[in-house]
Amino acid sequence: MVRKIPDESVHEIKKIPLKNPIIFAGFVGPGLVGPLAIGHIIDKMKMSEIGYLRTRYLPASTVFIQGRLRHPFRFYANKTGNICCIICEVPLKAEGLYNIASIILDWSQIKGCKEFAILDGVAAEEHDGKTFCAAEEDLCRIMQDKEISIITQGFISGIPGSILNECIIRKIRAITLLVKASHAHPDPLAAATLIDSVNKVYGTVIDTSELRKQKEKIGTEFRELSEKYKEHRLSDSGMYM
């Protein structure tokens, strides 16, 4: 008997009532700053895993760290249900990006999401301690008030670009916070800078001191994922200015 392929969706494994949450997301990119920053936020805010993305467009792989298997594309929420995080720890191929973005935004709208923030990196030789942003006009003014520089011109590709396009179409406020990050190695310092900016903009209090001290440990644990990103970076994702 041929088994039917499951419907593509966010498969929920835990019910937490969500209250028009802001959603933070991080995907594989320069310095792995998206997954590093989102993973740290999840840990420090003691978020619960509430689901994962089920789609034929995910690569045929899973993720394990310190021997523990986990789905590579996961959804989390805090106890009060006003903040969600999405983390993806595998590179994504271009042919599935529109589908994946649509699934994420369908779920986000059902949950009443009003704002979507993507944390990402721009490939560079080294991190300079600064955060930049690209956003819709009203959010740009807020960012300038928080002393976060606006990127005047460029384009965003990959899954971040696909999600931001969908947000524009669906009238969900959207922003990407960006830092210069290593093009060759995991960059926890750049990830910490992103979280510091999240604290400044959204009023969270997420300590980044441990992240700043974990450069060697993170480099070891994420070495394979970093190599996979380098193999795919020319075609999968990036921010260009």
Side-chain angles (χ1 to χ4, degrees):
M1 187 174 85
V2 178
R3 186 174 180 181
K4 182 182 176 182
I5 297 174
D7 292 336
E8 295 186 307
S9 63
V10 177
H11 180 70
E12 296 187 11
I13 59 175
K14 185 175 183 177
K15 295 293 184 182
I16 292 179
L18 300 181
K19 304 170 183 176
N20 305 117
I22 179 170
I23 298 178
F24 296 99
F27 305 97
V28 173
L32 302 180
V33 294
L36 286 174
I38 294 296
H40 193 75
I41 291 171
I42 289 167
D43 179 60
K44 290 302 176 184
M45 296 190 74
K46 301 187 185 304
M47 290 185 164
S48 297
E49 185 177 353
I50 60 171
Y52 54 83
L53 186 76
R54 172 182 278 169
T55 172
R56 74 189 76 182
Y57 292 107
L58 278 178
S61 60
T62 191
V63 173
F64 65 91
I65 290 182
Q66 296 180 341
R68 183 170 64 88
L69 286 170
R70 58 191 185 187
H71 194 278
F73 207 131
R74 305 183 304 281
F75 291 63
Y76 291 80
N78 63 346
K79 291 179 181 179
T80 57
N82 66 330
I83 298 176
C84 289
C85 280
I86 299 173
I87 184 170
C88 179
E89 295 169 321
V90 291
L92 300 170
K93 291 292 187 179
E95 60 265 25
L97 298 184
Y98 175 78
N99 181 274
I100 289 171
S102 294
I103 294 171
I104 291 171
L105 268 296
D106 286 346
W107 181 85
S108 301
Q109 284 190 301
I110 290 170
K111 301 305 179 182
C113 170
K114 302 299 182 186
E115 187 168 336
F116 205 108
I118 296 176
L119 310 185
D120 204 357
V122 180
E125 290 299 320
E126 61 181 1
H127 177 55
D128 61 4
K130 299 177 181 178
T131 302
F132 304 86
C133 81
E136 296 177 56
E137 187 175 353
D138 59 337
L139 280 176
C140 282
R141 288 193 293 268
I142 294 172
M143 295 304 113
Q144 288 177 318
D145 290 342
K146 301 292 183 180
E147 299 180 344
I148 293 175
S149 299
I150 306 301
I151 296 172
T152 56
Q153 187 174 355
F155 66 91
I156 299 169
S157 62
I159 188 62
S162 296
I163 290 174
L164 293 170
N165 281 341
E166 279 294 299
C167 286
I168 293 170
I169 293 168
R170 299 175 189 231
K171 301 189 185 306
I172 294 174
R173 290 213 313 178
I175 183 172
T176 179
L177 294 173
L178 299 152
V179 291
K180 291 182 179 179
S182 170
H183 61 82
H185 306 287
D187 198 334
L189 294 180
T193 296
L194 275 175
I195 297 173
D196 289 340
S197 295
V198 168
N199 287 336
K200 184 186 295 185
V201 173
Y202 295 100
T204 51
V205 185
I206 302 165
D207 180 42
T208 60
S209 58
E210 289 181 21
L211 189 59
R212 295 179 183 278
K213 295 175 184 176
Q214 290 179 341
K215 184 173 183 179
E216 183 174 342
K217 179 176 181 241
I218 287 172
T220 299
E221 290 185 344
F222 285 81
R223 183 179 295 118
E224 183 174 355
L225 179 55
S226 182
E227 291 300 319
K228 289 292 183 184
Y229 165 66
K230 284 189 281 185
E231 291 172 9
H232 290 85
R233 70 177 182 266
L234 293 179
S235 60
D236 282 329
S237 64
M239 164 70 202
Y240 303 89
M241 296 187 285

